[in-house]
Amino acid sequence: MKLQQLLLNSKKQQKTLLSTDNFMPAKANLVLAFAQRTLLEKVCPFDLLKEIYPNAQIILCSSSGQVSNNCAIEKEIVVTAIEFDKTKIIATEFDILSNNNIDDLGEKIKAELFSKDLKSVLILSEGSYINGTELINELIKRTNKLIPIFGGLAGDEFSFEKTIVGLNANASSGKIVAVGFYGEHIHFGYGSEGGWGDFGPEREVTLSDKNVLYKIGDRFALDLYKEYLGKYAEELPGSSLYFPLSMKENSESASVVRTILAIDEENKSMTFAGNIPKGSLVRLMKGNIDKLIDAASTAAFKIKTASKEKVQLALLVSCVGRRIVLGDRVEEELEVVKDNFGENTILCGFYSYGEISPTQKNVACELHNQTMTIAAIYED
């Protein structure tokens, strides 16, 4: 595997951050470009990227912060081009605005990507309209729970207005892109850690509708949430990023974190980035900056210790909520990842509205919020 990483500014001026030995742009198979949504709309970089990398599948994705190998959140478009030596890739796109039937998305991915030599699937999805839980459940079903799936939901800086994604075209609303990786020479490692601390008792969800939570026990969800937040309740919904919810579908399930997207004062309900099923067990969480950074380190360390070969590329998908909570220290969670993998591992990625990564108990994938997820990629 050979790699190149560029910065592309608003005037379409290029700056090469790195280029590994013998990298040839014409041989690049896959290009991942992350940027703030308004910058992608202004620059419309696809035609330029196609000139530079004429034979690559080019994916554009809006973000809440684009990550470079400098362990920095850059202001420019971060472009990472990959030249696989022995790995085949196939990419496909689905427009959920023109067809919101999630079954049709699953059928398309199954028909175009699924085969015996499929090793993993990268999903970069719009983050404004999709129900992330329904998306990953459909992908798991269509791949028979056999294929690890990783990626995330596009971001929109801190605006939450709209997100855009594009495959071999400039990015636009409603697009979901899937990339399949094939063959015996490509290998992956996955890690996802939050670092949030639980507080308060574990309680059962008694009334919900998909990702809308109405009641916990015999209490309205919003009333209970405000009671625990105390003075922070006056700052809702913004303060909810500091106090996400831990959820287990049952007592035996691994816990996942759910971010609150909106509150409804009239119905005393809360809307989350992923489903909160009736009967699931939830607990409030709170953040500690040092623990959040340590969690990012742990996610990288677990991959490094499990990998048989040196990681060549690490795709980082962290949460916009983590960026807000970490504030001026946000780049520290990138630095600890780099420290674990070493200088020879190239970093790229973005801050998202939802992270997709396998879990230890589920080989396929899970929707995460408020985590640092890492997909480590290497060819033998």
Side-chain angles (χ1 to χ4, degrees):
M1 183 194 300
K2 303 176 184 69
L3 297 153
Q4 184 177 72
Q5 193 169 85
L6 308 176
L7 295 182
L8 188 64
N9 68 17
S10 59
K11 297 179 180 179
K12 297 189 178 182
Q13 296 169 328
Q14 306 165 38
K15 177 183 177 181
T16 302
L17 291 183
L18 63 94
S19 192
T20 58
D21 291 343
N22 301 318
F23 176 86
M24 298 180 65
K27 290 188 176 182
N29 310 82
L30 179 64
V31 172
L32 303 175
F34 300 105
Q36 188 176 353
R37 186 257 305 171
T38 53
L39 182 58
L40 286 177
E41 290 177 329
K42 178 180 179 180
V43 176
C44 294
F46 171 71
D47 288 341
L48 176 58
L49 293 177
K50 188 64 176 177
E51 288 180 15
I52 302 171
Y53 309 108
N55 298 306
Q57 301 284 348
I58 298 172
I59 302 174
L60 306 175
C61 180
S62 64
S63 80
S64 296
Q66 44 277 6
V67 175
S68 76
N69 192 55
N70 292 336
C71 298
I73 298 176
E74 306 286 356
K75 295 180 180 179
E76 298 88 354
I77 302 170
V78 179
V79 180
T80 304
I82 310 163
E83 177 189 339
F84 292 106
D85 296 318
K86 301 176 181 178
T87 301
K88 180 180 74 171
I89 66 166
I90 298 175
T92 188
E93 181 183 73
F94 188 85
D95 188 342
I96 199 165
L97 292 183
S98 63
N99 180 359
N100 63 4
N101 187 336
I102 201 74
D103 290 339
D104 289 346
L105 166 65
E107 186 60 37
K108 181 179 177 70
I109 288 177
K110 179 180 179 181
E112 297 187 16
L113 298 187
F114 195 65
S115 69
K116 291 183 178 180
D117 60 343
L118 177 63
K119 291 291 289 290
S120 192
V121 174
L122 165 64
I123 294 289
L124 291 173
S125 170
E126 72 85 32
S128 304
Y129 307 102
I130 193 72
N131 180 315
T133 301
E134 293 182 354
L135 170 65
I136 63 105
N137 285 344
E138 180 67 18
L139 297 174
I140 291 170
K141 180 178 74 173
R142 296 294 185 167
T143 55
N144 299 325
K145 299 183 180 181
L146 300 174
I147 306 300
I149 301 166
F150 65 98
L153 309 184
D156 184 24
E157 195 65 9
F158 308 129
S159 300
F160 295 89
E161 293 178 9
K162 68 174 181 177
T163 60
I164 57 175
V165 177
L167 171 63
N168 298 326
N170 284 309
S172 58
S173 297
K175 301 299 192 298
I176 300 172
V177 174
V179 182
F181 299 82
Y182 301 82
E184 294 303 313
H185 297 284
I186 189 77
H187 303 279
F188 297 87
Y190 308 99
S192 180
E193 297 288 337
W196 300 83
D198 295 330
F199 74 101
E202 191 172 68
R203 300 170 183 265
E204 183 178 354
V205 172
T206 52
L207 182 61
S208 66
D209 181 14
K210 295 182 179 179
N211 63 333
V212 181
L213 175 60
Y214 292 99
K215 280 194 170 184
I216 301 173
D218 59 355
R219 301 283 303 279
F220 284 106
L222 186 57
D223 287 346
L224 182 63
Y225 189 72
K226 284 183 174 181
E227 182 179 303
Y228 273 91
L229 261 60
K231 64 179 182 180
Y232 292 100
E234 298 175 2
E235 301 171 19
L236 284 169
S239 60
S240 66
L241 290 171
Y242 295 86
F243 300 94
L245 215 63
S246 168
M247 184 203 75
K248 297 192 296 185
E249 290 198 13
N250 56 63
S251 59
E252 304 299 321
S253 301
S255 62
V256 294
V257 182
R258 288 286 179 260
T259 297
I260 299 164
L261 297 180
I263 61 173
D264 185 334
E265 294 282 0
E266 182 177 351
N267 293 311
K268 298 183 179 182
S269 65
M270 300 186 292
T271 301
F272 290 81
N275 286 357
I276 308 281
K278 181 180 178 181
S280 60
L281 303 172
V282 295
R283 177 177 286 170
L284 268 72
M285 309 183 80
K286 59 183 176 180
N288 173 284
I289 288 178
D290 290 327
K291 289 183 178 179
L292 294 179
I293 294 169
D294 287 345
S297 179
T298 299
F301 178 77
K302 287 181 177 179
I303 297 172
K304 181 182 177 182
T305 55
S307 299
K308 296 180 181 179
E309 300 186 41
K310 291 183 178 180
V311 173
Q312 294 163 295
L313 177 67
L315 175 65
L316 280 50
V317 183
S318 190
C319 182
V320 59
R322 292 175 70 89
R323 184 181 175 191
I324 292 171
V325 173
L326 288 169
D328 292 340
R329 296 183 62 186
V330 66
E331 292 179 352
E332 291 184 40
E333 76 166 354
L334 310 177
E335 291 167 356
V336 296
V337 171
K338 187 73 169 181
D339 289 344
N340 273 279
F341 286 128
E343 286 300 315
N344 291 329
T345 299
I346 308 304
L347 303 186
C348 73
F350 70 110
Y351 282 78
S352 74
Y353 284 176
E355 308 87 66
I356 298 171
S357 176
T359 59
Q360 291 181 344
K361 293 186 178 181
N362 186 346
V363 69
C365 69
E366 180 60 84
L367 175 71
H368 305 269
N369 295 126
Q370 302 282 32
T371 60
M372 165 64 83
T373 67
I374 305 169
I377 307 173
Y378 47 100
E379 277 189 307
D380 60 19

